[in-house]
Amino acid sequence: MTDRNPEFDREGIHIDRDLADQLHIEEELDSNVEGVYTFPSPQRRRTYAWVLAAFAPIALWVVPGGWWVAVGFLAVAGWLAVSAWPLKVDEHQALRVAGSHMPFPVGHASASVRFKGWRSRPRWSVVLYSASEPPDARGLVVVDAVSGEVVEEPYVEAIAPV
């Protein structure tokens, strides 16, 4: 197939800088943004908890029957405070842990954070591809973002040649 779209190749999708600025592409989606990115810690929920707790006494004076509103604010604030797990393992550490559990040399890899359980414990879902070109295997490893342990059985599968 000789008709290849120059905007898409094995390197990814590219948007010209002028077009990205004109369309106001968000920074997370802009392929022109380069540099180190750090995933924000879920512990910022504790800040929201303090804000809600500060509004609880205000609700007592402002809202008729403010006791129920104040109790609601404090309940939500308490929930936010106890569900604020620290993100002790960043994506780079998660990639290293996941790579050590693969039976093949790792080439491309990607990590995304997700939350599991009633207290929303953070976990990294790491997808890894073999270093061969094109990749002949891929795997998925779930790494606990608090302890750094692999929490689910790693999944590995062969990729059929195209």
Side-chain angles (χ1 to χ4, degrees):
M1 193 168 168
T2 58
D3 296 329
R4 299 197 75 176
N5 185 345
E7 296 296 316
F8 181 76
D9 60 13
R10 291 192 63 87
E11 299 298 318
I13 297 173
H14 303 284
I15 300 173
D16 293 329
R17 163 59 46 215
D18 295 333
L19 180 60
D21 290 340
Q22 179 185 1
L23 296 175
H24 305 290
I25 302 290
E26 294 180 31
E27 186 177 6
E28 302 89 40
L29 303 175
D30 189 354
S31 62
N32 297 302
V33 175
E34 295 180 8
V36 178
Y37 175 78
T38 304
F39 187 84
S41 175
Q43 282 198 299
R44 65 186 172 178
R45 292 178 182 178
R46 291 198 178 165
T47 303
Y48 304 142
W50 282 109
V51 170
L52 282 175
F55 278 108
I58 295 171
L60 292 173
W61 290 294
V62 176
V63 179
W67 284 102
W68 292 108
V69 176
V71 167
F73 278 151
L74 291 174
V76 172
W79 177 258
L80 288 171
V82 299
S83 66
W85 291 97
L87 197 65
K88 292 183 179 177
V89 176
D90 66 7
E91 60 271 22
H92 304 290
Q93 294 167 320
L95 289 167
R96 281 194 294 277
V97 169
S100 68
H101 284 80
M102 287 292 102
F104 53 78
V106 175
H108 295 289
S110 175
S112 65
V113 74
R114 64 183 177 135
F115 297 90
K116 174 134 178 149
W118 65 277
R119 283 189 53 212
S120 299
R121 189 175 178 100
R123 291 181 169 183
W124 289 104
S125 293
V126 184
V127 177
L128 308 110
Y129 289 89
S130 66
S132 60
E133 187 59 40
D136 58 1
R138 65 180 158 215
L140 172 67
V141 180
V142 179
V143 179
D144 187 285
V146 178
S147 67
E149 299 173 358
V150 174
V151 292
E152 295 179 14
E153 186 67 28
Y155 174 76
V156 179
E157 70 179 6
I159 300 175
V162 180

